Amino acid sequence: MAAGLRRDERSTTGADVRWTPRRGATAGLVLASVLLLLLVGIAGPSAAKPPLGPGGPELPWAPGPWLVTVLLWTAYVLGALGVHLHLRWGLPTRGPWTWALALPAIALGGSWVTAFGSADHTNYAAYGRIAVLGGDPYLTPPNAWPGHDPVISAVRPPWDGTTSIYGPFATLLQQAASWAGGPHLRATVGWWQGICLLAFLAVPTLLEQSGASRSRVLALWLANPLVLGLALFGAHVDVVAAALVVLTLWAAPRSAFVAGLFAGLAVSTKVTAAVVVVAVLVAWWVHERRGWGWRSARFVGGVLVTAVPLHWWAGPHVFDQLERARRSISLATPWRPVYQLVDGPLGGSAARTLVTVLSVAVALLLVVVLGRLTRGLAPAGVLGTATRWTFVLSTAYALSAAYSLPWYLLLTWATLPLLGASVLDRALLVHLLAATLAYVPGRVEGMTATVQRVTLWVRRVPVPYAVLIVWGWLTRAAWIGSSRSPAPRPPAPAPPPR
């Protein structure tokens, strides 16, 4: 572990990392993974990718359900292995040229690929279109929209009867994409992917300005094929929320009010981003207790300035679907077997309540576990402490929630680079891989009966137990102190004079 930390410290200075056979092999694994993901993205519609209509840079070839499943599983396994070796040995880099070349390359790939891994982007397009046409996406599901609209009618089961669960700022961005794309689904999705691309690229830029080592930013975010697949190629709204949270953390030592504005946008994108509000207040209490009340008032004031008007604009139904969704239980979590076990004796409603209570208890336990494991890993100061507790709270929720999907983990991976190397890197990489494999290929349509049976078995059997193993791994590491205090982290860059 100490050696890993020394590598990180060297990379912080921007020094070149020379080419070695091991690093070359690591680069090959990452590149092979990304190329496989790009192949799925530029191929025609498949069980991983819904049709978006004519046009677009797609190949006149569409992989069958078995092939696209194997391609994605292979890509993610190779990618996880590449990230593991990257954390251990590093990737060959050439100082600042790494940034200058990596960012445009990812921007080019992101703009070329059609979103895949789910059909969520068609939902976003439909909600934005409903809002543009004067409807309420929180009240009217796509299949209840009168008449035939080429964008709204493109939403596929099981989401065509579901109203929006996203925050009002997310809906505003979806509306902007719809306004730019008009009645064309492909154009609307393209504009939405552009928003996600900007958010994805903002994260590493802000992380490095906040004091994260370039090596960890590359390994955990920018050159992490699993994150690329979920955040950029998946075009999930969670990447926008993650970018706004990182922007809040970056602004916290600089201006309480501005940080509050960004936090309000984050909360108005996904309600789970509210963890950053708690984390920032805790950080100021720890480091700047004198004047905490006035600073906190300005911060909360900033949150209200953005969040209140957005929620007023969204209307009274903005939380309706959120209330219904909170009692859902994912197939790929340990809570599904628990629910199935107690459903018969207790009945559906009581069984769901029990699962909710147990998941909250596990979340609180994981807050303690992760709090112990992150002790001494964050940079000194407000930014480091706020990042640490944002990571702890968001990760405890994502690991323990009864309803959790792999893209819910993006906030974890957006904040992990600011922490030092530890057992968390390996354990959370295993969890991310398991969660990602569980939801391959990503759609309920376009599947054969065999592929559906095999993929559902992966989701229902090995993955929940993999999550349990990660819970135990982290708890054991915290209990025996395997996250022993690392070398002191360098302080975050000082903010400009206010």
Side-chain angles (χ1 to χ4, degrees), residues 285-362:
W285 179 258
V286 171
H287 294 284
E288 299 179 8
R289 195 165 302 179
R290 185 176 181 181
W292 181 84
W294 172 235
R295 188 175 290 106
S296 299
R298 285 183 291 159
F299 177 66
V300 173
V303 172
L304 296 177
V305 164
T306 48
V308 170
L310 282 167
H311 283 81
W312 177 83
W313 167 79
H317 301 286
V318 66
F319 295 116
D320 289 359
Q321 184 62 24
L322 187 65
E323 174 63 24
R324 289 190 288 270
R326 86 181 166 81
R327 293 179 66 82
S328 300
I329 304 172
S330 300
L331 292 176
T333 69
W335 301 116
R336 173 60 68 164
V338 173
Y339 171 74
Q340 292 171 337
L341 182 66
V342 301
D343 181 28
L346 298 180
S349 179
R352 290 180 187 277
T353 299
L354 176 62
V355 166
T356 299
V357 171
L358 291 175
S359 67
V360 170
V362 171

Side-chain angles (χ1 to χ4, degrees), residues 388-422:
R388 176 194 175 200
W389 286 108
T390 299
F391 168 84
V392 167
L393 295 174
S394 63
T395 305
Y397 166 76
L399 287 173
S400 65
Y403 188 80
S404 185
L405 298 170
W407 38 92
Y408 292 5
L409 299 163
L410 288 176
L411 183 51
T412 289
W413 289 85
T415 49
L416 185 57
L418 262 169
L419 305 179
S422 74

Side-chain angles (χ1 to χ4, degrees), residues 176-361:
S178 179
W179 178 84
H184 308 289
L185 177 61
R186 184 176 294 277
T188 302
V189 170
W191 281 104
W192 174 256
Q193 286 187 255
I195 293 171
C196 293
L197 173 62
L198 292 176
F200 177 84
L201 295 179
V203 170
T205 304
L206 291 166
L207 286 174
E208 191 172 30
Q209 290 184 9
S210 300
S213 77
R214 182 169 299 161
S215 175
R216 287 184 64 74
V217 174
L218 281 171
L220 301 174
W221 185 267
L222 197 59
N224 183 340
L226 286 81
V227 169
L228 282 169
L230 297 173
L232 186 59
F233 302 151
H236 289 284
V237 71
D238 303 75
V239 70
V240 177
L244 289 168
V245 168
V246 174
L247 191 56
T248 301
L249 295 169
W250 172 84
R254 293 163 169 82
S255 168
F257 182 72
V258 172
L261 295 176
F262 293 137
L265 294 178
V267 173
S268 300
T269 301
K270 283 203 75 171
V271 69
T272 51
V275 294
V276 74
V277 176
V278 177
V280 169
L281 293 175
V282 168
W284 280 329
W285 179 258
V286 171
H287 294 284
E288 299 179 8
R289 195 165 302 179
R290 185 176 181 181
W292 181 84
W294 172 235
R295 188 175 290 106
S296 299
R298 285 183 291 159
F299 177 66
V300 173
V303 172
L304 296 177
V305 164
T306 48
V308 170
L310 282 167
H311 283 81
W312 177 83
W313 167 79
H317 301 286
V318 66
F319 295 116
D320 289 359
Q321 184 62 24
L322 187 65
E323 174 63 24
R324 289 190 288 270
R326 86 181 166 81
R327 293 179 66 82
S328 300
I329 304 172
S330 300
L331 292 176
T333 69
W335 301 116
R336 173 60 68 164
V338 173
Y339 171 74
Q340 292 171 337
L341 182 66
V342 301
D343 181 28
L346 298 180
S349 179
R352 290 180 187 277
T353 299
L354 176 62
V355 166
T356 299
V357 171
L358 291 175
S359 67
V360 170

Side-chain angles (χ1 to χ4, degrees), residues 50-52 119 122-123 126 142 148-157 160 185 445:
L52 299 181
T122 62
N123 305 357
H148 176 81
D149 183 90
V151 176
I152 299 173
S153 62
V155 179
R156 309 305 302 166
D160 54 339
L185 177 61
E445 294 184 312

Side-chain angles (χ1 to χ4, degrees), residues 124-141:
Y124 305 153
Y127 297 144
R129 181 70 173 165
I130 289 172
V132 164
L133 296 177
D136 183 352
Y138 298 106
L139 182 62
T140 306

